[in-house]
């Protein structure tokens, strides 16, 4: 084979490799879209079925006994479909009843669309994109519809797997979300103050193998740093890891921040101080200093004011509130709880270290460009 032919062959092979790589990506994307579409259409069918069942039982005075007959008839006609068991039909009926009256007031989920069926309902489209197994879990575990809507919204925003959803319910995220004691309303403008409050939790639940209640601050900090992906899952969406023991030089003295993050929705740095002891007022003075230093030394004109978050072993809420009264930097105070129930199934839902590094690199590049 001559040199020209060999060169052409290599060129063709490179072109083919690039093309087949792109083709595989398109096929995978198509498969994902098809799966989402199938799930959406199935849940829309379930919604209409639930509506019909409720209407028939209401207007025709049909009792629950007809559900068994309905299950038998549909299963016989569509044997390839597994969703027409009596148990699942009862779930479909309960699912419809649970949400049928709330969607006109649930606009915080996503923009609404109208169902084209005869019993039009302003149901959010993304409500039907969540797998049926997620809906079943939420119905089983949530005590009221507001709690259920919260976990639906969080699942939509964070694309949780069923395992992660189960963990978030297990760790009482609904009760913990936005509950840190803070001075955000006084120190931050609206709506930034509301969003800052929403990103907090109290307590923060740490579920990492090897974490002990009696860990010292540096030991706990280093442990969290080595499991940063799981830690980010608990912190919530929007947090980008910057580093731990971040060095600051102030007045010819060296200082080190426990942990520094950047929040992409708030467009600000978040300084986190970990305390393995109960809350003390002097902790706020130290954190306030770090927040001020980050504002002076690291922030650009494109960054919003830095937020401080103190996470301690325990706290007296009244003492924390009194301490924050005279503080002008936006600071929140939360406690921490060790939750010993780690599962490997979280890995698929967590950002990789490479993802985190890429986010940090993008952030630094933008700063350099300024």
């Amino acid at each position: 084979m001559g040199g020209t032919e060999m060169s052409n062959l290599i060129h063709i092979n490179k072109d083919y490799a690039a093309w087949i790589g792109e083709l595989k990506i398109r096929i995978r994307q198509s498969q994902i879209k098809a799966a989402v579409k199938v799930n959406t259409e199935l849940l829309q069918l379930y919604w209409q079925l639930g509506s019909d069942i409720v209407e028939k039982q209401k207007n025709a005075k049909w009792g629950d006994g007809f559900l068994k007959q309905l299950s038998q008839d549909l299963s016989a006609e569509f044997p390839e479909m597994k969703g027409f068991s009596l148990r699942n039909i009862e779930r479909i009926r309960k699912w419809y009843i649970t949400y049928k009256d709330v969607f006109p007031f649930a606009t915080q989920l996503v923009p609404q669309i109208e169902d084209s069926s005869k019993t039009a309902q302003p149901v959010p489209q993304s409500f039907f994109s969540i797998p049926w197994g997620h809906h079943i879990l939420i119905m089983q575990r949530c005590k009221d519809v507001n709690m259920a809507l919260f976990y639906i919204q969080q699942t939509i925003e964070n694309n949780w797997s069923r395992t992660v959803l189960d963990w978030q319910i297990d760790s009482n995220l609904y009760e913990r979300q936005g509950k840190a004691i803070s001075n955000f309303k006084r120190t931050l403008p609206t709506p930034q103050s509301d969003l800052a409050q929403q990103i907090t939790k109290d307590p923060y639940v740490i579920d990492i193998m090897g974490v002990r209640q009696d860990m010292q601050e540096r030991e706990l900090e280093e442990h969290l740093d080595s499991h940063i992906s799981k830690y980010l899952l608990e912190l919530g969406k929007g947090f980008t890891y910057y580093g731990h023991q971040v060095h600051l030089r102030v007045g010819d003295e060296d200082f080190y921040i426990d942990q520094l993050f950047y929040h992409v929705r708030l467009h600000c740095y978040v300084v986190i101080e970990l305390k393995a002891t109960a809350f003390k007022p002097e902790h706020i003075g130290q954190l306030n200093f770090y927040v001020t230093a980050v504002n002076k030394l690291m922030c650009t004109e494109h960054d919003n004011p830095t937020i401080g978050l103190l996470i301690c072993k325990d706290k007296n809420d009244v003492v924390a509130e009194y301490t924050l009264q005279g503080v002008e930097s936006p600071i929140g105070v939360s406690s921490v709880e060790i939750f010993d129930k780690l599962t490997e199934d979280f890995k698929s839902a967590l950002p990789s270290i490479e993802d985190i590094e890429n986010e940090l690199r993008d952030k630094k590049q933008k700063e350099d460009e300024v």
Side-chain angles (χ1 to χ4, degrees), residues 205-222:
V205 177
I206 299 176
D207 180 23
I208 299 175
M209 192 71 72
V211 173
R212 307 185 313 276
Q213 290 284 0
D214 60 349
M215 269 189 170
Q216 298 300 308
E217 289 168 22
R218 181 61 63 85
E219 188 181 5
L220 175 61
E221 176 194 334
E222 292 177 351

Side-chain angles (χ1 to χ4, degrees), residues 51-62 118-119:
S51 174
D52 288 347
I53 290 172
V54 170
E55 286 299 312
K56 293 296 183 184
Q57 290 184 318
K58 176 182 177 181
N59 297 327
K61 308 299 182 183
W62 295 358
K118 60 182 179 181
T119 55

Side-chain angles (χ1 to χ4, degrees), residues 347-365:
K347 290 182 178 179
S348 61
L350 296 172
S352 66
I353 295 299
E354 289 76 12
D355 292 336
I356 298 167
E357 290 176 345
N358 289 335
E359 289 181 316
L360 290 176
R361 191 178 301 110
D362 291 342
K363 165 63 181 170
K364 290 182 178 179
Q365 286 177 350

Side-chain angles (χ1 to χ4, degrees), residues 51-118:
S51 174
D52 288 347
I53 290 172
V54 170
E55 286 299 312
K56 293 296 183 184
Q57 290 184 318
K58 176 182 177 181
N59 297 327
K61 308 299 182 183
W62 295 358
D64 290 341
F66 99 96
L67 296 181
K68 183 177 181 180
Q69 184 63 49
L70 177 64
S71 173
Q72 292 174 350
D73 292 341
L74 291 178
S75 296
E77 183 67 23
F78 305 102
E80 73 282 1
M81 296 185 67
K82 307 300 182 182
F84 295 135
S85 66
L86 176 59
R87 184 180 182 185
N88 203 55
I89 286 179
E90 290 172 341
R91 285 171 174 164
I92 291 170
R93 177 181 179 275
K94 179 182 178 182
W95 180 61
Y96 174 79
I97 291 173
T98 299
Y99 300 108
K100 69 182 181 66
D101 295 327
V102 301
F103 283 117
F105 311 101
T107 56
Q108 74 275 15
L109 287 177
V110 287
Q112 297 177 349
I113 63 165
E114 289 190 354
D115 187 356
S116 59
S117 66
K118 60 182 179 181

Side-chain angles (χ1 to χ4, degrees), residues 2 8 21 33 63 87 124 165 170 186 191 199 274 280 284 290:
N8 290 338
K33 290 179 181 179
R87 184 180 182 185
L165 171 62
D170 225 17
R186 180 171 57 82
I199 69 169
L274 298 170
K280 296 178 182 179
I284 296 298
Y290 288 149

